[in-house]
Amino acid sequence: MIWLVCLTLFSLSVGTAPTSASSVLMLAACLFGGCWHQDRDWWRQQRPWLIPVLLVMLLPWVSLLWTIEAAPQLFPYLQRTYFWLLSFATACLLLPKNRPEYLAGSFIAGVELTAVVFFCVLTGLIKNSKLTEYFLFRGYITFSLLLVVATALLSFWFRQSEERRKRYLFLGLIGFNLIALALLKGRSGYLALVVVAPLVAFNLMGKQRWWIYLSGILTLIVVLALSPTVRQRITLIAQETTLFSADATRARATSIGKRLMVWEGGVKIFQEHPVLGVGIDGYPVAMRRIYPDLNETIHNPHNFYIYVAASYGLLGVALYGWLWFILFQRAWGHRNSWQGFMLLSTLLVVSIGSLTETTPLQPQTGILLAIMAGLPLEG
């Protein structure tokens, strides 16, 4: 069972197909291997996080009762509710000593392998293919977020290790990830790094005075800001936001303009359907009503929080808010353990990524979040 979890975590950065295949194998092993059989007292102890996970998983299916879409589709959002089943499968694991490091190591190995491929494509050593084009250049938001999670985990490994050679290795990989992140266009990754920078600085520097921490955090941010790609992407935010204020229709062709438009539409949908929202797959229908001149079907508002509010109303906001609170509470209480820090860093990065994308609904970040949510934190 443990090797299937490691394989799933490794494959997150490799591609959607291997991730889906390994996660299904993980669920099958859990079901037919009988590891889900636990005594009632053990399952009763899991209720604080297990109940909100179960309710969040069932919410899209229940919303079929009130969706405004006449023919809701199974794919992708209904089908992706299975991600949360991985939380139950992971919770069945009784992780012996050191095995949390196997999980972290598997995830980091996948990220670093993909980062190496990314550099090889940029330098021409590997020819750009449909696979690399899709994941590294079209899916750069997801990959940038995975890079930040890997960087946070490497900093924790640096803190836990006492061997000088290993520490040099971890520092080198952190620097490698920062360079890769600086060459990517993922602005969500930039912001996520700023948020986790205090954790990374603490892990690398240990107990220091506040101004030393601040210097470490600023160093990480300055290193990132030295990249022309980063500066260009940040500059575009101001330019495209100004264009949206002046001419919203023309600005829809830009990345920021389109996002501002779909965010605005999502807020309007929530205002019109505040209690239960428009249900699963109802967002595209409602957007066509609000913007009848749209030339494309927009399936989500590229913001997970607005998506939840528009699709499930206050009910969804309450359920997801409950889940997020419980998970952050669990993670912070065990932040000095491998399991707790893995959950904490994943939650922080996914929460930031959710500002510009429906991150928990994307295969890589959704499966990562589900696995980390179910990690046993006892012991």
Side-chain angles (χ1 to χ4, degrees):
M1 181 62 180
I2 185 67
W3 69 269
L4 281 174
V5 183
C6 291
L7 179 61
T8 301
L9 290 172
F10 173 81
S11 66
L12 289 175
S13 298
V14 177
T16 302
T19 298
S20 300
S22 58
S23 63
V24 170
L25 287 174
M26 177 181 162
L27 290 174
C30 177
L31 178 62
F32 297 108
C35 67
W36 55 274
H37 289 291
Q38 300 282 356
D39 59 71
R40 292 184 178 180
D41 290 337
W42 186 88
W43 281 111
R44 194 176 294 114
Q45 294 173 3
Q46 312 307 312
R47 282 189 301 181
W49 69 267
L50 194 152
I51 292 176
V53 165
L54 180 62
L55 292 176
V56 162
M57 183 178 67
L58 294 176
L59 179 60
W61 294 93
V62 177
S63 74
L64 288 170
L65 296 173
W66 65 78
T67 179
I68 63 173
E69 169 58 64
Q73 301 295 311
L74 176 64
F75 183 82
Y77 299 134
L78 275 174
Q79 182 239 16
R80 290 178 183 176
T81 56
Y82 92 88
F83 293 169
W84 291 112
L85 291 176
L86 298 172
S87 297
F88 301 96
T90 307
C92 294
L93 295 174
L94 299 178
L95 300 176
K97 186 178 180 181
N98 293 332
R99 284 199 171 176
E101 296 182 20
Y102 299 165
L103 301 180
S106 300
F107 171 73
I108 292 171
V111 172
E112 303 308 325
L113 174 63
T114 307
V116 169
V117 173
F118 171 64
F119 275 103
C120 289
V121 171
L122 288 181
T123 56
L125 295 176
I126 295 179
K127 186 177 180 181
N128 195 13
S129 63
K130 289 184 178 180
L131 177 62
T132 56
E133 177 67 28
Y134 176 80
F135 194 74
L136 294 175
F137 300 100
R138 289 179 57 194
Y140 55 83
I141 295 178
T142 297
F143 184 50
S144 68
L145 295 176
L146 296 180
L147 273 172
V148 176
V149 176
T151 299
L153 295 182
L154 283 166
S155 72
F156 188 79
W157 216 332
F158 176 92
R159 173 185 167 190
Q160 296 290 317
S161 178
E162 296 181 356
E163 296 184 32
R164 181 174 297 180
R165 290 182 179 179
K166 287 185 178 180
R167 285 193 155 204
Y168 287 151
L169 172 62
F170 299 146
L171 280 176
L173 290 176
I174 289 173
F176 181 67
N177 288 351
L178 291 177
I179 295 173
L181 182 62
L183 294 174
L184 284 169
K185 296 181 179 180
R187 286 173 289 212
S188 298
Y190 309 157
L191 182 57
L193 179 65
V194 173
V195 172
V196 303
L199 294 177
V200 174
F202 176 79
N203 288 334
L204 295 180
M205 303 170 69
K207 294 182 178 180
Q208 302 288 345
R209 295 182 179 180
W210 68 269
W211 59 269
I212 298 180
Y213 285 131
L214 183 60
S215 300
I217 294 169
L218 291 177
T219 299
L220 289 174
I221 296 173
V222 168
V223 169
L224 189 65
L226 290 175
S227 166
T229 302
V230 174
R231 295 199 301 271
Q232 179 191 35
R233 296 292 288 172
I234 299 301
T235 301
L236 280 176
I237 295 177
Q239 293 175 348
E240 294 176 2
T241 301
T242 302
L243 177 61
F244 183 82
S245 300
D247 189 346
T249 301
R250 190 160 65 94
R252 292 178 187 176
T254 68
S255 174
I256 297 299
K258 181 178 179 179
R259 274 179 165 77
L260 291 173
M261 184 266 292
V262 296
W263 292 353
E264 180 183 67
V267 172
K268 290 180 179 179
I269 294 171
F270 174 65
Q271 291 172 340
E272 294 174 2
H273 305 269
V275 180
L276 297 177
V278 292
I280 188 73
D281 284 348
Y283 180 83
V285 178
M287 283 294 289
R288 286 194 294 269
R289 293 176 182 174
I290 297 173
Y291 302 101
D293 59 330
L294 278 178
N295 297 322
E296 60 178 319
T297 299
I298 300 176
H299 295 282
N300 68 75
H302 295 281
N303 180 301
F304 183 67
Y305 308 110
I306 295 177
Y307 172 79
V308 169
S311 299
Y312 312 119
L314 291 173
L315 174 62
V317 172
L319 290 180
Y320 275 98
W322 180 18
L323 174 61
W324 247 242
F325 174 78
I326 292 297
L327 292 181
F328 268 112
Q329 187 180 50
R330 295 180 75 227
W332 187 255
H334 295 81
R335 63 188 180 278
N336 292 319
S337 70
W338 261 113
Q339 297 97 320
F341 190 84
M342 284 192 288
L343 176 57
L344 179 61
S345 55
T346 300
L347 274 173
L348 288 172
V349 172
V350 169
S351 297
I352 294 301
S354 296
L355 293 171
T356 57
E357 189 53 88
T358 51
T359 309
L361 299 179
Q362 304 306 310
Q364 288 78 17
T365 43
I367 289 176
L368 175 64
L369 175 62
I371 290 177
M372 296 304 176
L375 281 177
L377 299 184
E378 296 79 14

